[in-house]
Amino acid sequence: MVSKLDLYKVFYKVALCKSFSKAAKDLYMTQPAVSQSIMQLERELDIRLFNRTPRGVSLTNEGSLLFEYVSSAMNLIDVGEEKMFEFKHLTAGELKIGVGDTISRYYLLPYLEAFHMKYPNIKFKIENGTTLELCSLLKSGAVDIAICNFPLEDTTLEQIPCIDIQDIFVCGEKYKKLLSDPISLEEMVKLPLILLEPSSISRKYVEDYILSKGIKIAPEFELGSHDLLLEFARINLGIACVTKEFSGEYINKGLLNEVPLMEKIPKRNIGVCYLKSVSLSQASKKFVEIIENK
């Protein structure tokens, strides 16, 4: 069955070629099929579109008016196809990423750089937030993928662990001598603790582990950023629970000291997540590949 769009494509080509036979050749159709298509369109519109002459065809006044609209539509279709080609081959488009400030600063930047070097025409849109906020952004469609702390208890999300991270406790010069020998978690929680706010996935993971040992936590400070944890510990306001991989600058320079624990907190992951129900864009797929393979 010939669609209305097919009829207009034939009309467009005949108007350009001013000949049924030339149009048939360009369209890989027979001349009778082209003629039948034009006749069908004229019947459906109840108007004559072409003047037939021995030398070919020409548009009627009504046909010329219709051609202006059909020509615009065909050009838009061509532009649309070009855009689809660009998106498919990553010569244009946008990648929307959700990520927290700490992960963005200490983990994500090299991958953004690598992706940009390979696909310079893809624009980035970065949304910041906590892990729970990023999950909401994913579900609303505001971001394509999120780079965040695991584990996540959400069956609607595909989760790809990318890097292991270790939660540790650190202290400044004031507590260095006091905490030079390995300390138990029971002894640790008696000290002034500096933790992330309760809504943080990182805080919840550490707190749940310590609670599983039958030990309750009552922190002295609850802060909104990892960098503040490091700074509060540096000026000796307490013992901060931080991510080891994101604290290297402070530890390597001697500004902070890792507190030796008798029992280390089990490692967890940072990774990529996205909605299971939504197919990833080509740009998102390539970005995830770069993270997984680097």
Side-chain angles (χ1 to χ4, degrees):
M1 182 178 178
V2 180
S3 69
K4 183 67 71 71
L5 179 58
D6 290 329
L7 295 179
Y8 282 119
K9 286 181 178 179
V10 173
F11 165 76
Y12 177 69
K13 184 59 68 173
V14 171
L16 289 176
C17 295
K18 299 179 181 179
S19 165
F20 283 180
S21 59
K22 289 180 182 179
K25 185 177 180 180
D26 287 355
L27 293 168
Y28 300 99
M29 296 171 64
T30 64
Q31 183 172 332
V34 169
S35 181
Q36 285 292 327
S37 295
I38 295 301
M39 290 173 62
Q40 181 180 340
L41 184 59
E42 288 179 327
R43 284 197 303 270
E44 291 188 10
L45 296 176
D46 192 24
I47 202 163
R48 186 161 58 89
L49 300 172
F50 290 99
N51 297 309
R52 279 79 166 173
T53 69
R55 293 192 300 269
V57 297
S58 61
L59 288 165
T60 62
N61 290 336
E62 295 83 356
S64 295
L65 178 61
L66 180 63
F67 178 75
E68 291 181 17
Y69 291 100
V70 173
S71 179
S72 296
M74 293 302 167
N75 287 335
L76 285 174
I77 290 173
D78 288 341
V79 171
E81 289 180 343
E82 288 176 7
K83 290 297 181 185
M84 291 304 100
F85 180 87
E86 290 175 355
F87 284 126
K88 182 179 179 181
H89 295 276
L90 300 178
T91 57
E94 183 180 60
L95 177 57
K96 296 176 288 185
I97 301 174
V99 63
D101 289 333
T102 302
I103 295 175
S104 179
R105 177 180 176 184
Y106 294 104
Y107 174 71
L108 188 61
L109 290 181
Y111 300 107
L112 293 176
E113 182 182 12
F115 185 88
H116 182 66
M117 291 289 290
K118 196 169 185 180
Y119 308 107
N121 294 317
I122 301 296
K123 297 178 181 179
F124 289 117
K125 180 180 180 183
I126 308 296
E127 295 284 353
N128 294 114
T130 65
T131 294
L132 295 179
E133 288 170 344
L134 297 179
C135 290
S136 297
L137 290 174
L138 273 175
K139 293 176 182 179
S140 70
V143 296
D144 303 313
I145 58 175
I147 318 296
C148 54
N149 291 293
F150 289 173
L152 291 174
E153 297 177 1
D154 193 326
T155 57
T156 67
L157 299 177
E158 189 71 46
Q159 301 178 39
I160 305 174
C162 296
I163 181 176
D164 290 339
I165 55 174
Q166 179 71 59
D167 295 293
I168 61 171
F169 288 91
V170 294
C171 66
E173 192 66 28
K174 176 181 175 181
Y175 294 94
K176 182 179 179 180
K177 290 183 180 179
L178 176 65
L179 300 172
S180 59
D181 296 324
I183 186 174
S184 68
L185 290 174
E186 288 90 345
E187 294 172 308
M188 174 66 69
V189 299
K190 295 175 183 177
L191 297 169
L193 296 183
I194 308 169
L195 302 181
L196 286 171
E197 57 194 7
S199 61
S200 162
I201 292 293
S202 301
R203 157 75 180 272
K204 188 175 186 303
Y205 178 80
V206 172
E207 188 167 18
D208 286 349
Y209 176 73
I210 295 177
L211 281 172
S212 73
K213 304 295 181 181
I215 305 169
K216 292 184 178 181
I217 294 180
E220 194 83 6
F221 298 97
E222 294 179 324
L223 306 175
S225 83
H226 188 269
D227 287 347
L228 281 177
L229 294 176
L230 296 169
E231 282 298 309
F232 272 47
R234 184 184 66 80
I235 60 174
N236 300 304
L237 293 179
I239 316 302
C241 183
V242 299
T243 304
K244 185 172 185 176
E245 289 72 14
F246 302 156
S247 308
E249 184 178 347
Y250 281 76
I251 294 173
N252 295 336
K253 290 182 177 180
L255 300 174
L256 291 174
N257 304 278
E258 181 177 352
V259 177
L261 293 177
M262 291 182 179
E263 182 181 356
K264 286 188 176 181
I265 299 168
K267 289 185 176 183
R268 54 191 177 89
N269 313 107
I270 284 172
V272 182
C273 60
Y274 53 88
L275 285 175
K276 291 180 179 179
S277 59
V278 178
S279 298
L280 285 178
S281 67
Q282 193 70 4
S284 298
K285 288 179 182 177
K286 292 299 181 182
F287 189 79
V288 171
E289 287 177 11
I290 286 176
I291 290 182
E292 287 186 294
N293 298 327
K294 197 170 178 66

